[in-house]
Amino acid sequence: MFESITQNLTDALGNFTRGKLSEGNIRDGMAQVRKALLEADVNYDVAKSFCDNVTKQAVGDQVLKSLKPGEQIVGIVYNELVNLMGPVDHSIAIRRGEMAIIMMCGLQGAGKTTTCGKLATMLKEQGATPMLVAADLQRPAAIEQLRVIGEQVGVPVYWEEAGSSTPVKVCQNAQKAAKKEGCNVLILDTAGRLHIDDSLMKELVQIDNKLMPHQALLVCDAMTGQDAVNSAKAFNEALELDGVILTKLDGDTRGGAALSVKAVTGVPIKYIGVGEQLDKLEPFHPERMAQRILGQGDVATLLETAQRVLDAEEMEDQQQKMLEGKFTLDDFLKAMSQIQRMGSMKSLMKLIPGMGQMAQAMEAMDGMDPDKDVKRVKAMISSMTVEERRHPDRIDRSRRNRIAIGSGTDPAEVNDLLKQFKGMSGMMQQMAGMNMGDRMKAVRELQSEAMNPNSRGVSQGKQRSKRGDLTKDALREKKKKERQRQKKARKRKK
Amino acid sequence: MALFSKLKSALKKTKDLLRTDVRDLFKSGEILDEAKLEEFHRGLITTDMGVEASEEVVESLREEFGGRTVDPDAVWENVKNTLKEILKGDGSTNWDPENPLSPLNMATEGPTVILVSGVNGVGKTTSIAKLANYLTKSGKKVVLAAGDTFRAAAVDQLTKWSQRIGCEIVRKDPGTDPASVAFAGCDHAVQIGADVVLVDTAGRLQTQQNLMQELEKIRRVINKRIEGAPHESLLVLDATTGQNGISQASKFSDAAGCTGIVLAKLDGTAKGGVVVAIRKKMGIPVKYVGVGEQLDDLQLFSPDDFVEALLEES
Ligand SMILES: Nc1nc2c(ncn2[C@@H]2O[C@H](COP(=O)(O)OP(=O)(O)OP(=O)(O)O)[C@@H](O)[C@H]2O)c(=O)[nH]1
Ligand SMILES: [Mg+2]
């Protein structure tokens, strides 16, 4: 069945790419897009407003006048999906010197207990000392399950006899126990419950009020159908969720629930579960999810083309800026994100004529990873102020140190980046004024420069990648603070 | 049957509700236009029955009543009948309200083996407990086989249920080959002259080939011990599941030869309409529905009542 839907969509989107577009065939095509979304379990109303939105954009003048309007529409569909499911926020609040409390909740069988174990594993790896709390006194042997998981990941589990306690009491006592044991993260595994079960929902709110968790996370089965909006909405209304974790994405579900849940709650999807083992927790990426929802194969190929068209326009825009000497680090970051959005640097390089060999050569130079480099560059630029991004020449020693700390890199790397940027914008400025042949030549020069192991630049990746994870931590740290601030503000409003 | 009356009374209410809803949608004397059909399409999609089945229903309405003045009762009959026909299938499944065991294929001699499978967290273990409870109460001798040797504390979970119900359980150490637990369960049942063996299995995604092979093996081994077994292979589906349910039904059938579905968690707001699509494509009938976490929250499926509940406004 999936094949036929993908086929329909391909046909529909294929129509877009042929000949002139009319409002009529845009609507026909969008009907197919809607069908594909519904088959992927996107909620009916969400799919409808999504398609209305895209149609509105597509019918606009700009698209119709552009060279290949069809591809652009596919691009709009994809980008709109990504925008709806983003922005990403992988932060989990951990306070230094204070205990962070994470409350997990969700329907029965969503995967809460396993996900608690996965979170504990992840946080422990990051240097936290988590404690798991068996607050599910409902399901037979739920406590035992968590205790086994705790043992597997080497994390203490707080529990009480199910018959002689209540979930609220267990959580409160756990808080004391964690203090005594010096744990700095408390993960509450609450019982699965129906969002329409008033007394059980009240119990959750009670725990929320008594413990004031820093994060309330909804665990949601990625295979959920149209009902996902109802449960997510109810949990969000009761608890003001901070994030969603989608589970069981290692199967063949298209995962439209991701779009639905994000659309109705506005709460970011933080992580996805991709296996039963306790290390199978990954950060959520809206781009990958969008591709998954739209299907693979031909549609993916169409998407790629569309993306290239879109990027070409943006690139032209950037070239214009370079030509005028207006290319800032902000634009640089945008270009970087664009590249990341399109897929890994390596596969991207393979697409560009002449660059494929370079990607191979880089792989051969043991373990160099251009993707990691992009991440680090992004982290560094993200740590700069707006002013610094516009005027990199104003970055002095103390600013450089601050940026290095903020991004988990070191000042020398920041220095390298600034140098590279300077060199690059100079070269870009030159290139923008060249014809195609000269440009190719310039690219080749860039290549040989990069492949020269003595030159600075890309080859730095080798020594950097060892500490790649630091970057993530630093970013998380930064975002965490921001979220805590927001959460406090929200609580006050309440 | 007191045990299966809870859903029915709940459905009575919704039946009347639905009638008025449909009347509102297609007011007598109004023309059935595309906007109205679209509204109906939305209602059908919301049940999770999928685009194909929904479009089929809408198409039949369009063909028969499109552009004409509407008689709401006729429209209503048309929709109901289409869906009920799909769910009843070829008429080979029996749902006798007087006999909740009627849809089950029982062994003519010796123990009846019921294999239960499904993806993670759908409600397999709980459904087994519910069935075991009913069977025990009807005077049958039941043996549970704790075939989930993978998930933490899964055996404990089933053991606790067996203690509450007061039936036997066969269990082995965590990590044991589940097929050997199933075999031991059948073996034990034969020896003590039990009537029914219920085999629990670990949750697995239908895309995990090695685990689907493991399920196949469980089925083979059961068959080796008891001829004609498993007599029933029940797939447990979570009512909140969307279109992935179709893939679940198809791949679990390949491995376990599913003979019926238990639709669990129907006490929430999800409608479980994907069973319509499954019945249409693969012919697997729903036999029971789960409507809560307690032992008596299992009910005999009824195509008529289900269809009435399916289109109830939520
Ligand atoms: N509301 C409701 N909850 C149910 C129903 N059936 C099962 N549950 C709950 O769903 C959760 C999972 O049920 P289990 O029976 O453990 O599911 P399972 O398929 O055996 O799970 P795994 O063995 O972990 O794959 C438990 O909290 C059950 O109480 C039902 O019909 N309604
Ligand atoms: Mg189980």
Side-chain angles (χ1 to χ4, degrees):
Chain A
M1 189 175 63
F2 286 160
E3 288 74 27
S4 74
I5 295 144
T6 310
Q7 193 51 50
N8 281 341
L9 187 60
T10 312
D11 288 349
L13 300 181
N15 284 338
F16 283 154
T17 60
R18 253 175 271 124
K20 270 257 164 196
L21 270 187
S22 69
E23 228 178 287
N25 63 22
I26 287 178
R27 278 180 214 288
D28 283 354
M30 287 314 294
Q32 295 294 337
V33 170
R34 191 179 77 159
K35 194 168 161 178
L37 294 178
L38 293 178
E39 287 292 356
D41 289 323
V42 175
N43 172 267
Y44 184 93
D45 298 325
V46 174
K48 185 169 185 300
S49 70
F50 173 86
C51 289
D52 289 350
N53 218 336
V54 174
T55 308
K56 222 180 283 160
Q57 282 189 51
V59 174
D61 259 354
Q62 218 193 341
V63 173
L64 292 176
K65 265 188 249 144
S66 77
L67 199 61
K68 282 196 178 163
E71 286 170 355
Q72 196 132 349
I73 289 170
V74 184
I76 296 174
V77 170
Y78 172 76
N79 280 344
E80 201 52 31
L81 275 179
V82 173
N83 286 341
L84 264 174
M85 289 189 289
V88 286
D89 171 12
H90 301 146
S91 64
I92 294 278
I94 297 177
R95 295 163 169 243
R96 207 159 272 151
E98 201 187 316
M99 199 192 310
I101 303 177
I102 302 172
M103 176 166 68
M104 310 286 273
C105 62
L107 297 175
Q108 292 98 336
K112 287 173 296 301
T113 308
T114 309
T115 307
C116 283
K118 291 178 181 178
L119 258 187
T121 308
M122 188 189 82
L123 292 170
K124 196 180 162 204
E125 258 168 32
Q126 289 169 8
T129 48
M131 175 184 266
L132 291 163
V133 184
D136 179 355
L137 309 183
Q138 193 88 9
R139 212 202 63 198
I143 299 171
E144 286 82 351
Q145 187 187 354
L146 195 69
R147 286 175 63 192
V148 173
I149 287 175
E151 203 162 294
Q152 280 169 357
V153 302
V155 163
V157 177
Y158 183 84
W159 62 282
E160 293 177 16
E161 285 299 338
S164 55
S165 192
T166 67
V168 181
K169 263 195 232 158
V170 170
C171 292
Q172 286 177 317
N173 292 341
Q175 202 174 3
K176 289 174 210 147
K179 261 185 208 139
K180 225 185 263 168
E181 285 200 35
C183 295
N184 63 0
V185 189
L186 207 56
I187 303 174
L188 314 178
D189 181 23
T190 64
R193 64 202 74 217
L194 286 175
H195 53 288
I196 50 170
D197 188 327
D198 279 342
S199 63
L200 286 181
M201 288 306 277
K202 270 194 198 122
E203 177 195 280
L204 264 191
V205 173
Q206 241 181 0
I207 298 177
D208 190 36
N209 289 340
K210 287 259 153 64
L211 279 101
M212 293 281 272
H214 305 88
Q215 298 261 310
L217 302 179
L218 176 72
V219 180
C220 175
D221 188 326
M223 296 182 282
T224 313
Q226 298 287 318
D227 194 49
V229 292
N230 298 327
S231 48
K233 218 161 134 189
F235 276 101
N236 191 39
E237 273 160 16
L239 298 173
E240 282 187 85
L241 300 170
D242 295 280
V244 175
I245 299 182
L246 273 184
T247 59
K248 308 179 199 173
L249 265 165
D250 46 329
D252 58 0
T253 180
R254 300 275 291 284
L259 184 63
S260 308
V261 167
K262 178 71 207 296
V264 298
T265 63
V267 173
I269 299 167
K270 288 181 186 270
Y271 292 98
I272 58 173
V274 292
E276 287 180 273
Q277 290 76 26
L278 295 170
D279 59 346
K280 296 284 196 242
L281 190 70
E282 291 179 359
F284 173 75
H285 292 290
E287 299 84 1
R288 286 179 211 162
M289 203 63 224
Q291 274 170 26
R292 184 171 182 145
I293 289 175
L294 285 178
Q296 282 94 33
D298 291 346
V299 179
T301 319
L302 256 172
L303 268 175
E304 234 168 69
T305 330
Q307 218 52 61
R308 234 172 290 157
V309 172
L310 275 186
D311 288 335
E313 279 187 11
E314 185 123 331
M315 240 129 82
E316 244 166 63
D317 190 50
Q318 280 163 2
Q319 278 188 3
Q320 192 55 38
K321 278 187 175 164
M322 283 173 218
L323 200 59
E324 295 161 12
K326 279 189 206 150
F327 190 73
T328 66
L329 273 164
D330 256 332
D331 297 315
F332 187 61
L333 183 60
K334 225 201 266 168
M336 285 282 190
S337 322
Q338 218 178 342
I339 287 168
Q340 265 202 324
R341 195 164 19 118
M342 286 174 73
S344 86
M345 275 271 269
K346 251 179 271 165
S347 57
L348 190 76
M349 281 161 96
K350 283 180 196 136
L351 289 177
I352 303 170
M355 295 291 262
Q357 280 149 316
M358 183 167 144
Q360 272 171 13
M362 281 169 59
E363 255 163 326
M365 295 195 305
D366 76 298
M368 244 179 62
D369 187 352
D371 286 327
K372 276 231 170 91
D373 262 0
V374 172
K375 272 192 209 140
R376 293 182 77 78
V377 166
K378 269 180 93 167
M380 285 189 268
I381 297 181
S382 308
S383 295
M384 295 176 190
T385 64
V386 177
E387 187 205 345
E388 288 161 354
R389 289 182 207 184
R390 294 227 175 97
H391 309 282
D393 44 318
R394 290 185 197 163
I395 297 177
D396 57 15
R397 175 184 298 273
S398 80
R399 284 177 184 237
R400 205 163 60 210
N401 289 344
R402 197 205 72 241
I403 293 164
I405 291 167
S407 58
T409 55
D410 55 52
E413 276 179 73
V414 179
N415 220 14
D416 282 344
L417 168 70
L418 294 174
K419 265 193 212 151
Q420 259 178 284
F421 170 74
K422 213 168 163 194
M424 186 174 162
S425 53
M427 174 140 4
M428 295 285 230
Q429 212 165 330
Q430 271 176 14
M431 271 168 69
M434 290 174 185
N435 63 29
M436 201 54 200
D438 288 340
R439 252 187 234 183
M440 288 303 293
K441 216 164 91 196
V443 168
R444 271 197 296 276
E445 271 164 27
L446 244 178
Q447 256 184 63
S448 61
E449 162 83 1
M451 273 159 55
N452 175 2
N454 294 326
S455 82
R456 313 219 71 181
V458 218
S459 60
Q460 283 278 321
K462 198 170 140 196
Q463 76 185 63
R464 283 176 194 166
S465 56
K466 274 189 213 141
R467 289 186 285 109
D469 275 342
L470 266 180
T471 321
K472 257 196 278 168
D473 281 354
L475 268 177
R476 212 171 268 143
E477 178 75 19
K478 212 178 126 215
K479 280 192 184 146
K480 174 195 92 189
K481 280 188 192 134
E482 173 62 11
R483 284 204 66 76
Q484 278 173 352
R485 199 185 52 70
Q486 280 175 4
K487 176 133 189 170
K488 263 194 206 147
R490 265 192 289 157
K491 279 255 150 83
R492 251 180 258 126
K493 253 188 275 158
K494 234 184 179 178
Chain B
M1 271 284 138
L3 213 54
F4 291 86
S5 58
K6 199 161 140 192
L7 182 69
K8 262 203 184 152
S9 56
L11 286 174
K12 273 257 164 53
K13 259 193 322 212
T14 65
K15 191 168 170 178
D16 303 332
L17 227 146
L18 180 61
R19 279 187 155 268
T20 45
D21 281 345
V22 171
R23 284 219 171 98
D24 280 348
L25 199 52
F26 304 125
K27 285 208 188 70
S28 197
E30 267 188 41
I31 291 186
L32 182 60
D33 58 10
E34 282 305 311
K36 289 206 179 66
L37 286 171
E38 182 57 39
E39 220 171 303
F40 206 71
H41 182 54
R42 176 186 182 279
L44 293 170
I45 289 287
T46 306
T47 71
D48 281 320
M49 74 170 63
V51 175
E52 223 178 281
S54 303
E55 279 184 354
E56 193 181 296
V57 172
V58 171
E59 195 46 48
S60 78
L61 287 183
R62 186 182 281 121
E63 252 170 45
E64 242 180 275
F65 308 101
R68 292 177 25 201
T69 14
V70 175
D71 169 7
D73 282 331
V75 172
W76 177 224
E77 277 308 311
N78 182 300
V79 175
K80 266 195 330 194
N81 288 340
T82 312
L83 294 175
K84 285 177 187 172
E85 256 165 48
I86 294 173
L87 285 171
K88 282 176 187 156
D90 59 6
S92 60
T93 312
N94 219 341
W95 299 275
D96 176 5
E98 298 307 316
N99 174 18
L101 295 179
S102 53
L104 294 180
N105 173 31
M106 302 297 268
T108 41
E109 213 184 314
T112 298
V113 184
I114 303 176
L115 175 64
V116 178
S117 61
V119 302
N120 313 72
V122 286
K124 292 175 293 298
T125 307
T126 312
S127 299
I128 287 177
K130 291 170 181 174
L131 257 180
N133 182 54
Y134 179 71
L135 288 160
T136 307
K137 284 202 167 149
S138 338
K140 305 248 188 272
K141 200 167 189 177
V142 177
V143 171
L144 304 180
D148 182 355
T149 53
F150 175 78
R151 207 206 66 199
V155 175
D156 290 340
Q157 187 185 355
L158 195 65
T159 306
K160 289 200 167 156
W161 281 122
S162 76
Q163 286 159 354
R164 274 188 221 176
I165 298 161
C167 65
E168 291 211 35
I169 180 165
V170 172
R171 40 184 290 175
K172 293 193 177 188
D173 288 338
T176 314
D177 180 2
S180 85
V181 181
F183 187 89
C186 294
D187 203 50
H188 185 65
V190 172
Q191 296 203 351
I192 66 165
D195 300 301
V196 183
V197 187
L198 287 158
V199 182
D200 193 14
T201 60
R204 66 201 73 216
L205 292 182
Q206 70 274 19
T207 47
Q208 295 169 312
Q209 231 139 41
N210 53 338
L211 294 183
M212 294 313 276
Q213 275 163 11
E214 179 190 273
L215 191 59
E216 249 180 273
K217 184 178 164 196
I218 296 175
R219 185 176 165 222
R220 262 200 325 269
V221 167
I222 290 173
N223 187 262
K224 238 186 225 160
R225 184 59 190 90
I226 297 175
E227 212 192 302
H231 306 86
E232 281 287 343
S233 175
L234 297 178
L235 173 70
V236 183
L237 267 187
D238 186 325
T240 62
T241 308
Q243 299 311 294
N244 192 253
I246 297 168
S247 157
Q248 290 173 25
S250 132
K251 293 189 175 124
F252 272 95
S253 275
D254 288 347
C258 301
T259 54
I261 287 170
V262 178
L263 188 59
K265 308 187 196 173
L266 210 52
D267 46 329
T269 47
K271 299 297 176 65
V274 71
V275 297
V276 174
I278 291 173
R279 179 67 150 155
K280 232 175 84 132
K281 275 172 208 291
M282 279 153 276
I284 310 171
V286 182
K287 297 197 166 171
Y288 297 97
V289 298
V291 290
E293 298 187 84
Q294 304 311 316
L295 281 176
D296 58 359
D297 292 329
L298 183 77
Q299 295 175 350
L300 181 67
F301 179 70
S302 149
D304 292 342
D305 292 349
F306 183 79
V307 168
E308 310 283 352
L310 203 56
L311 302 172
E312 159 211 350
E313 272 295 314
S314 52

